[in-house]
Amino acid sequence: SKKFETTNTGVTVTGDILTKSSDGSILSLQTSETTVVDGDVLGSIKFSAPDEASGTDAILTGAEITAVAEGTFAADNNATELLFKVGASEAAATALTIASNKNATFAGDVIATDGSDTSTLSETGLTLSRSNSYIQSNADNSDTLNIGQSSVRWGHVKVDSATFRVLNGGTERMYIDSS
């Protein structure tokens, strides 16, 4: 079988690719577009198993990293975002976008853990937990911050337009009126 084949649509390499140089190898993916506009793909790396015998979802792209133009390129602009895509039972979809302004947008929950403590940022709020204690914003997007231990809430901090309240077990313990 051929290890290296050139076609009118590109090059197919069968087998591993190894590249070395004394100053570090560089893989350059470049577009040949002469006018790059918003949404143009500059380059992409796709991971798949096209020969997987199971077929269907198993042969779809499982993961992908894609560089996409965020606007029309100009002498003073090459704003680009990186899309990190993963699949579960479908073609890979964007899970993380890093924009040219360095902001990261996650498609799902953000979970940070060290094996015993976990912090989660999700559509229902932010939960910071450590050693069975937690701080959690209220799931109903209200003005309450819950502070607890284990699974029992033992305190609340509530802030509205002009007041700051600290509650314990539903009983107000401190009240500051800033009006």
Side-chain angles (χ1 to χ4, degrees), residues 53-167:
S54 302
T56 316
D57 289 352
I59 62 173
L60 297 174
T61 299
E64 182 176 341
I65 302 170
T66 304
V68 178
E70 286 184 316
T72 299
F73 278 25
D76 63 349
N77 178 46
N78 67 344
T80 303
E81 63 187 4
L82 272 180
L83 309 178
F84 292 82
K85 302 177 181 185
V86 292
S89 184
E90 73 279 329
T94 302
L96 166 64
T97 301
I98 302 175
S100 62
N101 65 5
K102 315 306 184 274
N103 288 342
T105 304
F106 294 84
D109 294 351
V110 177
I111 300 170
T113 183
D114 66 2
S116 61
D117 300 319
T118 302
S119 298
T120 306
L121 177 61
S122 69
E123 65 208 23
T124 59
L126 170 67
T127 301
L128 306 172
S129 80
R130 177 158 172 72
S131 302
N132 295 324
S133 298
Y134 71 89
I135 298 174
Q136 180 180 44
S137 60
N138 228 13
D140 63 3
N141 293 322
S142 70
D143 49 12
T144 302
L145 180 65
N146 298 318
I147 303 168
Q149 189 166 10
S150 299
S151 60
V152 180
R153 286 186 294 178
W154 52 266
H156 311 285
V157 175
K158 185 170 184 157
V159 180
D160 56 33
S161 60
T163 62
F164 176 84
R165 303 170 195 261
V166 177
L167 298 93

